[in-house]
Amino acid sequence: MQLEAVTIDIGTSRPLVLLNTVDADELGAHPLDRVRIEHDEETTTGIVKRTDELVEPGTIGVTEPLSRVRGTVDVTLAGKPRSVRYIRRKLDDVELQPHELETIVRHIHEDRLSDIELGAYASAVYTNGFSLDETKHLTEAMSDVGQRLTWDAPVIADKHSVGGVAGNCVTPVMVAIVTAAGLTMPKTSSRAVTSPAGTADVMEVFCDVEFTTDEIESIVTETNGCLVWGGGVDLSPVDDKIIRAENPLSIDPPGQLMASVLSKKRSAGSTHVVIDIPYGEGSKVESLVAARKLADDLKRVGDHLDMDVSCAITHGADPIGRGIGPVLEARDVLAVLEGDGPESLRLKSVRLANILLEHCGVDASAVDALESGRALEQFGRIVAAQNGDPDIKSSDLEPGAESTTVRAERSGIATRVDNRQLCDLARRAGAPLDTRAGLVIHRTASERVEDDDPLYTIHAETPAKLAEAEALADRLEPIQVRSKADALVERR
């Protein structure tokens, strides 16, 4: 069938085509079927949406990813991609072969799967998991798609956290310490997806984070390191598409998590990686047993990819630092580099930096780098190279002016701090889009609390956002305070 192609904007990044129901019936095309489009000696595939109004008969509407399709085109019905059959096999709990995983990855990269099919893939992995061999092959396939960074230095240091802990912004402190010791650490980080701040959001308080590959190489040549947004470069791009399918379901199965982390590291050219695995109630990894298994599997997959992976299993039941939200976490980071700041953030940053230095064979002390001021100076160099102000002080960083403090209604002990609830509150206050929104935590687990003591302060940029956060705070109890007797009963 010959149709006239017109570009139509329906706000999607998917390669969809809109067919009038008259033409769709003639082709025998149902919703989510594929059609093959031949144009200018090129063949393209689109996913069908039927409509009575948006396009006229004789016309095919193409979305932005297919905008190169113009003029009169030949349209025929196409079959489902082979990857759909492989996804169904995983739904049936069949172990996939390397070529099947490679096909799924390639088709995700080429946008050949519908949102429903991609959701089925995420659900299949969540329900049935991956074997270690599947994870190894999936990681390799994901890192082979997109760009690969290469570096002259024989050792390229890197760090990642599996997440789940509020305020856990140790990465900027670590990069400053490690690069001050002479190591190369080109750190690509993510923006927040479901959290109040990703590392890239925190760094954007100080400087630019979006750069091309050539610009990143120039920054690293000048300073030994960088702190940039990974989405600005095409490293393991399939990972971002899979994450978008997982987020509505709030799932992050271990096999896919490992492939996500290590494919990004391999694509970034990392040779020595320390992975932080926080565990505890409310964390992404809730038990020590699960944390140890994940660490063991990460090391094995790293060995398969010729990456030297070391895992640090850390306490994840409490927030790290006092601030939650871009500006508040940035203030904590800078305060630690200045020689002050939250002790929990300082201790964890030092511990992980020392592990990474030792892992890379460097005889240096993270404490010395902090106390001498070398780490602060190095952080300023990186900020300047990324078009920021190297002389910024932690006192310059002010949270949102609209605020309220939630206070204890009884004396006792803070028996539990819920990371998820704290993050939900910070997001309701406007973080991360409102960079000055978030929370300041005044009490952590096991601390003595007196009646009317401050527990946490909510900051927002507008009265409306503050009111929304206050309404949510009335329904939650992110910091539980119990009398000593009640706390003993709960432990039993």
Side-chain angles (χ1 to χ4, degrees), residues 93-145:
D93 200 14
V94 176
E95 183 165 342
L96 299 182
Q97 298 301 307
H99 75 275
E100 294 173 327
L101 291 163
E102 290 165 7
T103 301
I104 291 173
V105 168
R106 186 173 69 255
H107 286 181
I108 293 173
H109 181 56
E110 295 170 353
D111 288 322
R112 294 182 62 183
L113 297 181
S114 69
D115 289 338
I116 291 174
E117 290 158 348
L118 195 51
Y121 167 80
S123 299
V125 178
Y126 175 75
T127 303
N128 296 317
F130 279 132
S131 69
L132 194 60
D133 280 342
E134 284 179 303
T135 301
K136 290 176 181 177
H137 295 306
L138 175 67
T139 307
E140 207 164 8
M142 287 174 62
S143 61
D144 285 341
V145 172

Side-chain angles (χ1 to χ4, degrees), residues 172-490:
V173 182
M174 281 187 66
V175 171
I177 291 170
V178 169
T179 55
L183 279 172
T184 301
M185 190 169 178
K187 185 72 181 77
T188 60
S189 300
S190 61
R191 294 189 186 278
V193 180
T194 58
S195 69
T199 300
D201 301 304
V202 174
M203 281 306 301
E204 202 163 35
V205 172
F206 299 112
C207 56
D208 294 340
V209 295
E210 295 187 33
F211 296 96
T212 66
T213 301
D214 288 344
E215 289 169 336
I216 291 172
E217 289 174 350
S218 176
I219 293 166
V220 174
T221 298
E222 180 183 347
T223 68
N224 284 349
C226 65
L227 284 149
V228 301
W229 177 50
V233 286
D234 195 29
L235 304 180
S236 188
V238 167
D239 179 49
D240 299 321
K241 297 179 180 181
I242 293 172
I243 288 172
R244 282 198 293 272
E246 293 174 332
N247 282 338
L249 301 171
S250 297
I251 58 176
D252 196 6
Q256 190 64 56
L257 181 151
M258 288 188 281
S260 170
V261 172
L262 295 181
S263 66
K264 291 280 192 186
K265 301 307 172 192
R266 185 174 187 241
S267 296
S270 306
T271 62
H272 292 66
V273 183
V274 166
I275 298 177
D276 173 28
I277 306 177
Y279 81 95
E281 186 179 1
S283 300
K284 190 176 290 186
V285 182
E286 295 206 344
S287 72
L288 181 57
V289 171
R292 285 173 173 165
K293 183 181 186 310
L294 180 59
D296 187 52
D297 288 346
L298 281 163
K299 290 176 186 177
R300 292 185 183 191
V301 177
D303 288 343
H304 176 74
L305 301 171
D306 294 324
M307 281 192 298
D308 200 341
V309 174
S310 177
C311 295
I313 297 174
T314 59
H315 179 67
D318 285 335
I320 301 297
R322 296 287 181 176
I324 303 174
V327 164
L328 291 163
E329 292 182 40
R331 186 170 67 177
D332 282 355
V333 164
L334 204 49
V336 167
L337 289 168
E338 290 167 349
D340 195 7
E343 188 68 3
S344 58
L345 180 60
R346 180 183 182 277
L347 288 176
K348 186 167 185 178
S349 300
V350 165
R351 179 190 172 192
L352 293 178
N354 277 331
I355 291 172
L356 185 54
L357 289 167
E358 182 179 353
H359 191 51
C360 295
V362 175
D363 184 14
S365 164
V367 172
D368 288 347
L370 275 178
E371 292 182 349
S372 68
R374 294 197 308 276
L376 177 61
E377 181 182 352
Q378 177 64 10
F379 184 74
R381 291 181 65 210
I382 293 173
V383 167
Q386 294 182 202
N387 306 320
D389 178 6
D391 299 319
I392 190 170
K393 304 287 192 298
S394 59
S395 56
D396 298 331
L397 300 175
E398 294 290 338
E402 303 293 332
S403 68
T404 189
T405 297
V406 176
R407 296 180 175 274
E409 297 178 352
R410 64 176 70 86
S411 297
I413 298 170
T415 57
R416 180 172 179 263
V417 179
D418 192 310
N419 279 296
R420 289 193 182 100
Q421 290 190 18
L422 290 171
C423 289
D424 288 346
L425 280 169
R427 288 182 67 86
R428 190 64 62 90
L433 293 180
D434 295 345
T435 59
R436 295 186 298 121
L439 304 183
V440 175
I441 310 303
H442 303 300
R443 292 291 183 271
T444 58
S446 301
E447 287 188 353
R448 176 71 191 174
V449 178
E450 300 299 331
D451 183 33
D452 204 42
D453 275 354
L455 298 178
Y456 59 92
T457 298
I458 305 171
H459 288 276
E461 295 185 7
T462 65
K465 290 284 182 68
L466 180 63
E468 288 183 28
E470 286 178 314
L472 180 60
D474 287 340
R475 302 195 300 272
L476 300 180
E477 191 180 14
I479 301 178
Q480 292 182 353
V481 178
R482 300 290 182 265
S483 70
K484 190 171 183 179
D486 289 343
L488 286 172
V489 170
E490 285 186 2

